[in-house]
Structures are given as structure tokens and as C-alpha cells.
Amino acid sequence: MNINILIVDDEEDVRAIAKLGLEMAAGWNVLTASSGQEALKVAATHKPDVILLDMMMPDMDGRATLQQLKANPATKKIPVILLTAKLQQSDRESFTDMDVAAIFAKPFRPLKLAEQINEVLVAL
């Protein structure tokens, strides 16, 4: 299955590692964005099948980016998977009000990422 995915993370190395892992493990087409603002433009233009969104970014964080993605008719149906370094039980509760397909913890295993994303997409 050829999937178009948008990776949104302010850290260049995280984007590069995730992109490489998804391309190598699954042959997916990977788009990247380094900020929430850039993500909104890329998502509206390219309409990826899924978005991997970092929660902690400067300027516009993952929550604000998600709200704007869900408010835009062109991007509101795209499944979003949050990527966060903070995944304690107390943090999980703060995500319960968010319209996300899943939450993945950092650090992640790049070569297992496609498999994890596939499991989420199949369950939708």
C-alpha cells in the first residue's frame, strides 16, 4: 500500500530519521514540515493520507496545529497521529479531548514506524 504521509516536527533529525525509516521499511511517499504553519500549508496542498504531528514545537504547538487542521474542511478528515516525548498517564488524560487517531511516544523505532501507523489506519 503506497501511503502519502506528512511528518511535522521542529527537529530536523527527527524528521530525517522518520522519513528514512518510512521510505526504507514501507516505500511510502514522505512529506515534511518543520512548523505548524508549514504543516497547515502542506496538508491543504497535498492532502496526505496521514499526518504524524509532534506535540512540542515553538510558535504553534501540536495542539494548535491539530485544531486548525480539524477546522479546515480540506484537512479535517486526515487522520492525525501525535508524536510526543511526554507520555505519562497524566499526559494521556490531557490528550483525551483531542481528535487524534493515536499517540506515539518518542523516541520511536524508525523501522517499526510504518507498521505502527498501518495498525492505526487499519483500525480506523
Side-chain angles (χ1 to χ4, degrees), residues 10-11 17 33 42 60 80 87 92 95 116 120:
D10 60 312
E11 295 180 45
I17 289 168
V42 173
M60 178 186 269
V80 176
L87 202 53
R92 280 188 182 276
F95 298 132
Q116 291 175 289
V120 170

PDB file of all heavy atoms in Angstrom, residues 10-11 17 33 42 60 80 87 92 95 116 120:
ATOM      1  N   ASP A  10       9.698  20.006  14.606  1.00  0.00           N
ATOM      2  CA  ASP A  10      10.639  21.126  14.507  1.00  0.00           C
ATOM      3  C   ASP A  10      12.097  20.666  14.515  1.00  0.00           C
ATOM      4  O   ASP A  10      12.985  21.430  14.166  1.00  0.00           O
ATOM      5  CB  ASP A  10      10.393  22.157  15.619  1.00  0.00           C
ATOM      6  CG  ASP A  10      10.544  21.576  17.009  1.00  0.00           C
ATOM      7  OD1 ASP A  10       9.962  20.502  17.260  1.00  0.00           O
ATOM      8  OD2 ASP A  10      11.229  22.182  17.842  1.00  0.00           O
ATOM      9  N   GLU A  11      12.335  19.411  14.885  1.00  0.00           N
ATOM     10  CA  GLU A  11      13.700  18.891  14.926  1.00  0.00           C
ATOM     11  C   GLU A  11      14.033  18.188  13.609  1.00  0.00           C
ATOM     12  O   GLU A  11      13.410  17.182  13.250  1.00  0.00           O
ATOM     13  CB  GLU A  11      13.864  17.916  16.090  1.00  0.00           C
ATOM     14  CG  GLU A  11      13.701  18.605  17.444  1.00  0.00           C
ATOM     15  CD  GLU A  11      13.870  17.637  18.590  1.00  0.00           C
ATOM     16  OE1 GLU A  11      14.825  16.837  18.550  1.00  0.00           O
ATOM     17  OE2 GLU A  11      13.030  17.675  19.504  1.00  0.00           O
ATOM     18  N   ILE A  17      15.076  10.988  10.336  1.00  0.00           N
ATOM     19  CA  ILE A  17      15.057   9.586  10.777  1.00  0.00           C
ATOM     20  C   ILE A  17      13.705   8.942  10.463  1.00  0.00           C
ATOM     21  O   ILE A  17      13.637   7.823   9.954  1.00  0.00           O
ATOM     22  CB  ILE A  17      15.386   9.484  12.284  1.00  0.00           C
ATOM     23  CG1 ILE A  17      16.865   9.817  12.507  1.00  0.00           C
ATOM     24  CG2 ILE A  17      15.054   8.104  12.835  1.00  0.00           C
ATOM     25  CD1 ILE A  17      17.228  10.039  13.964  1.00  0.00           C
ATOM     26  N   ALA A  33       7.353  18.863   7.304  1.00  0.00           N
ATOM     27  CA  ALA A  33       7.142  20.262   7.666  1.00  0.00           C
ATOM     28  C   ALA A  33       7.848  20.499   8.997  1.00  0.00           C
ATOM     29  O   ALA A  33       7.823  19.647   9.877  1.00  0.00           O
ATOM     30  CB  ALA A  33       5.654  20.569   7.788  1.00  0.00           C
ATOM     31  N   VAL A  42       1.172  22.547   3.744  1.00  0.00           N
ATOM     32  CA  VAL A  42       1.491  21.289   3.056  1.00  0.00           C
ATOM     33  C   VAL A  42       0.275  20.353   3.073  1.00  0.00           C
ATOM     34  O   VAL A  42      -0.061  19.734   2.060  1.00  0.00           O
ATOM     35  CB  VAL A  42       2.727  20.607   3.688  1.00  0.00           C
ATOM     36  CG1 VAL A  42       2.958  19.218   3.095  1.00  0.00           C
ATOM     37  CG2 VAL A  42       3.968  21.476   3.505  1.00  0.00           C
ATOM     38  N   MET A  60       3.744  27.562  17.069  1.00  0.00           N
ATOM     39  CA  MET A  60       2.458  26.868  17.033  1.00  0.00           C
ATOM     40  C   MET A  60       2.690  25.410  17.429  1.00  0.00           C
ATOM     41  O   MET A  60       3.300  24.646  16.697  1.00  0.00           O
ATOM     42  CB  MET A  60       1.869  26.957  15.621  1.00  0.00           C
ATOM     43  CG  MET A  60       0.562  26.228  15.459  1.00  0.00           C
ATOM     44  SD  MET A  60      -0.005  26.219  13.741  1.00  0.00           S
ATOM     45  CE  MET A  60      -0.987  27.685  13.741  1.00  0.00           C
ATOM     46  N   VAL A  80      -4.714  12.047  12.195  1.00  0.00           N
ATOM     47  CA  VAL A  80      -3.516  12.636  12.793  1.00  0.00           C
ATOM     48  C   VAL A  80      -3.039  11.735  13.934  1.00  0.00           C
ATOM     49  O   VAL A  80      -3.821  11.338  14.790  1.00  0.00           O
ATOM     50  CB  VAL A  80      -3.789  14.059  13.331  1.00  0.00           C
ATOM     51  CG1 VAL A  80      -2.560  14.619  14.039  1.00  0.00           C
ATOM     52  CG2 VAL A  80      -4.221  14.989  12.199  1.00  0.00           C
ATOM     53  N   LEU A  87       4.626  11.025  27.648  1.00  0.00           N
ATOM     54  CA  LEU A  87       3.514  10.089  27.524  1.00  0.00           C
ATOM     55  C   LEU A  87       3.234   9.361  28.834  1.00  0.00           C
ATOM     56  O   LEU A  87       3.013   8.169  28.863  1.00  0.00           O
ATOM     57  CB  LEU A  87       3.782   9.101  26.387  1.00  0.00           C
ATOM     58  CG  LEU A  87       2.557   8.408  25.790  1.00  0.00           C
ATOM     59  CD1 LEU A  87       1.501   9.408  25.366  1.00  0.00           C
ATOM     60  CD2 LEU A  87       2.956   7.547  24.622  1.00  0.00           C
ATOM     61  N   ARG A  92      -1.549  11.510  29.125  1.00  0.00           N
ATOM     62  CA  ARG A  92      -2.562  10.861  28.280  1.00  0.00           C
ATOM     63  C   ARG A  92      -3.931  11.499  28.504  1.00  0.00           C
ATOM     64  O   ARG A  92      -4.686  11.682  27.566  1.00  0.00           O
ATOM     65  CB  ARG A  92      -2.657   9.367  28.579  1.00  0.00           C
ATOM     66  CG  ARG A  92      -1.582   8.555  27.925  1.00  0.00           C
ATOM     67  CD  ARG A  92      -1.879   7.066  28.131  1.00  0.00           C
ATOM     68  NE  ARG A  92      -0.838   6.255  27.563  1.00  0.00           N
ATOM     69  CZ  ARG A  92      -0.784   5.896  26.282  1.00  0.00           C
ATOM     70  NH1 ARG A  92      -1.702   6.294  25.457  1.00  0.00           N
ATOM     71  NH2 ARG A  92       0.201   5.155  25.835  1.00  0.00           N
ATOM     72  N   PHE A  95      -4.769  14.488  26.505  1.00  0.00           N
ATOM     73  CA  PHE A  95      -4.990  14.267  25.081  1.00  0.00           C
ATOM     74  C   PHE A  95      -6.386  13.713  24.786  1.00  0.00           C
ATOM     75  O   PHE A  95      -6.756  13.589  23.627  1.00  0.00           O
ATOM     76  CB  PHE A  95      -3.956  13.284  24.508  1.00  0.00           C
ATOM     77  CG  PHE A  95      -2.531  13.765  24.599  1.00  0.00           C
ATOM     78  CD1 PHE A  95      -1.539  12.936  25.092  1.00  0.00           C
ATOM     79  CD2 PHE A  95      -2.183  15.035  24.199  1.00  0.00           C
ATOM     80  CE1 PHE A  95      -0.222  13.362  25.171  1.00  0.00           C
ATOM     81  CE2 PHE A  95      -0.869  15.476  24.271  1.00  0.00           C
ATOM     82  CZ  PHE A  95       0.108  14.638  24.759  1.00  0.00           C
ATOM     83  N   GLN A 116       3.507   0.417  12.805  1.00  0.00           N
ATOM     84  CA  GLN A 116       2.640   1.016  13.828  1.00  0.00           C
ATOM     85  C   GLN A 116       1.564   1.898  13.190  1.00  0.00           C
ATOM     86  O   GLN A 116       0.401   1.857  13.593  1.00  0.00           O
ATOM     87  CB  GLN A 116       3.471   1.859  14.798  1.00  0.00           C
ATOM     88  CG  GLN A 116       4.387   1.047  15.685  1.00  0.00           C
ATOM     89  CD  GLN A 116       5.267   1.963  16.529  1.00  0.00           C
ATOM     90  OE1 GLN A 116       6.178   2.616  16.018  1.00  0.00           O
ATOM     91  NE2 GLN A 116       4.983   2.017  17.806  1.00  0.00           N
ATOM     92  N   VAL A 120      -2.769   1.524  13.018  1.00  0.00           N
ATOM     93  CA  VAL A 120      -3.717   2.594  13.347  1.00  0.00           C
ATOM     94  C   VAL A 120      -4.687   2.812  12.183  1.00  0.00           C
ATOM     95  O   VAL A 120      -5.899   2.902  12.375  1.00  0.00           O
ATOM     96  CB  VAL A 120      -2.974   3.918  13.682  1.00  0.00           C
ATOM     97  CG1 VAL A 120      -3.948   5.081  13.790  1.00  0.00           C
ATOM     98  CG2 VAL A 120      -2.162   3.756  14.967  1.00  0.00           C
TER      99      VAL A 120
END
